Amino acid sequence: MSRRVVATASPSLALVKYWGKAPGGVNLPATSNLAVGLHALRTETTVSLALDDMTEDTVTINGARQKIEAYLPVLDEFRKASGSEARFAVESTNSFPTGAGIASSSSGFAALAVALDALLGTGLSPEKRSVLARLGSGSASRAVYGGFTTWERGSEYATAFLPGDHWPQLRIVVAVLSEARKPIGSRTAMERSRETSPMYPAWVETSQQRYADARAAVLERDLEQLGTVMRASYLAMFSTMFTANPPYIYWLPQSVALIHELERARSRGTAAWETMDAGPQVKIVTIASELDEVRRLVSETVPDARIITTAVGGEPSVAVHDSSEA
Ligand code: DP6
């Protein structure tokens, strides 16, 4: 009998960012962070045991073979946890642009951890799945839950803070301004910021207050407070990139145009605040009743932008398929 497991997970968008690693472990956050699962965006990952004559693990994303090194920490930990020497065949597809600053590594490693747990029958606790997903990519520690998640500085695992339906009206509009793969990944950029930016210590020092404010804003469903602290977080994060050596600027002219347009919209009373990650895309947090206005504003400012709209959610799913063929 052969077993195949299909797991899905959604990318984790940080409203208050993880940027910079704490010493003493792999991908431990220097700053407490808070994120939401992007319900409408999915990574689907199929994992099966490699055929007997295969001696190595294989991973493909959207059909393209990946270098295995990035995956081994997670695959090896699952081998250890299950006492197995098995090799895995992993095939992953994304319903959204890969490696362009939409956190495909968060959903990818979360789906992988959920799939391996089911394939091997390890029955890990949610926290332990978060720990193992984190070994692949820090933000994946949050994506194993969906909904609203928190991840405290120095912690080995993220926590499910509130389910997505805590704030049913909340929406995220992702303005995809470029589908190109980014030349420098978030891992390199955050290390460079930590090592060389004179702003980095201030970023870390001020982040704890932003985290506390964001938690309170989410609990109270206070969009204006959340929007304000969200902006403060991403702008402070980028200040460490702008002042790194060498500096790195992910922003495109269209990103800046949208930031300005949103400022104008807020002064007219539109409830919409943006955030950005290690890429040019602008993610706008708003409420359902403002969606038409926000989408209009995006397509007028950047006519060729791809617009993805989503609620908060994205809890992983898993399905086990057993077949009697060899
Ligand atoms: C800007 O989780 O991709 O998206 O732990 O090195 O894999 P590694 O980094 P990664 O960084 C995410 C950075 C961010 C902010 C966030 O998601 O919190």
Side-chain angles (χ1 to χ4, degrees), residues 12-21 26-28 33-35 101 103 105-106 109 134-140 142 151 182 185-188 190-191 237-238 241 276-279 283:
S12 170
L13 171 69
L15 307 183
V16 164
K17 308 292 183 187
Y18 150 53
W19 190 255
K21 298 179 203 291
V26 178
N27 300 339
L28 297 176
N33 52 96
L34 182 150
S105 67
S106 68
F109 281 107
R134 188 202 87 231
L135 299 177
S137 182
S139 49
R142 302 182 310 234
W151 185 23
K182 56 197 179 189
S186 44
R187 183 164 299 177
T188 309
M190 82 165 71
E191 273 304 279
M237 173 181 82
F238 275 98
M241 292 184 234
M276 293 179 69
D277 293 289
K283 294 106 179 204

Side-chain angles (χ1 to χ4, degrees), residues 67-198:
K67 289 203 188 99
I68 200 66
E69 288 72 23
Y71 298 87
L72 285 177
V74 178
L75 301 177
D76 286 344
E77 274 310 304
F78 269 98
R79 278 189 270 270
K80 227 196 259 173
S82 63
S84 142
E85 309 245 295
R87 302 288 147 195
F88 305 107
V90 179
E91 288 169 27
S92 195
T93 54
N94 293 322
S95 71
F96 55 94
T98 303
I102 315 185
S104 54
S105 67
S106 68
S107 48
F109 281 107
L112 180 63
V114 169
L116 285 169
D117 187 35
L119 181 73
L120 298 167
T122 28
L124 302 180
S125 67
E127 289 77 16
K128 186 71 186 170
R129 286 206 306 225
S130 177
V131 168
L132 296 194
R134 188 202 87 231
L135 299 177
S137 182
S139 49
S141 69
R142 302 182 310 234
V144 296
Y145 302 108
F148 295 85
T149 54
T150 53
W151 185 23
E152 307 245 332
R153 68 175 171 206
S155 176
E156 294 192 331
Y157 53 87
T159 308
F161 175 38
L162 288 162
D165 63 8
H166 162 71
W167 198 340
Q169 300 304 317
L170 200 68
R171 295 290 181 279
I172 292 98
V173 175
V174 181
V176 184
L177 307 179
S178 162
E179 311 230 357
R181 265 191 105 93
K182 56 197 179 189
I184 298 189
S186 44
R187 183 164 299 177
T188 309
M190 82 165 71
E191 273 304 279
R192 193 193 284 177
S193 299
R194 185 180 65 78
E195 285 166 359
T196 67
S197 167

